[in-house]
Amino acid sequence: MSVPAPRRTPAAPPARRPDARRRARRAFVAAAALCLVAATAAAAPPAPAAPTGCGDLVRGQLCLRGPVGSDGTYTATYRRQGAAVGLGEISVRLGYQRKNTRITAFPGWFGTRRTRHGAVTLSGRVEMLADECIRGVMEHAETVYVTKWSCG
């Protein structure tokens, strides 16, 4: 009995490498994308002089910061300015108010605290829908102060 000869299979073609045109096209697309990103950054408006989410009051500034349009921790800050710092410390209630196209919600409060060296900060978790706007609220001596609405 004879053993058959082993079968020989043809060699596989060499691995295909990207040709010069393909490499040049990839490099061009990458460079164009970088230029587009750089142009967008250069055309972006400068940062505002005053922080966003703040409102100037007669004797200070009320600010609300947080991830507008989503759940997260929001921080309300009141800072007395100039000569108002020498008027003594005051007790303020800080919070927020939300709205969308259908309803404006009652204020939610982070709490009440006395200013210290003319400033006070309180924070809390706020659950927001993507279509809602939010603003900071401060109450002092039965007067309520608010910031402008911030929308996502």
Side-chain angles (χ1 to χ4, degrees), residues 81-130:
Q81 295 173 337
V85 175
L87 297 176
E89 303 301 337
I90 61 173
S91 182
V92 297
R93 186 178 184 192
L94 295 174
Y96 62 94
Q97 187 176 20
R98 299 178 355 234
K99 78 169 185 169
N100 61 19
T101 57
R102 297 179 316 274
I103 190 169
T104 300
F106 291 104
W109 298 103
F110 297 134
T112 302
R113 190 174 287 167
R114 289 186 69 72
T115 58
R116 187 169 178 178
H117 303 292
V120 63
T121 300
L122 289 166
S123 297
R125 180 158 176 79
V126 178
E127 294 180 12
M128 284 187 69
L129 300 174

Side-chain angles (χ1 to χ4, degrees), residues 3-11:
V3 178
R7 289 189 187 163
R8 297 191 184 256
T9 56

Side-chain angles (χ1 to χ4, degrees), residues 64 95-98 104 133-137 146-150:
L64 181 72
Y96 62 94
Q97 187 176 20
R98 299 178 355 234
T104 300
C133 300
I134 191 167
R135 69 180 175 184
V137 179
V146 298
T147 65
K148 292 180 181 180
W149 289 105
S150 295

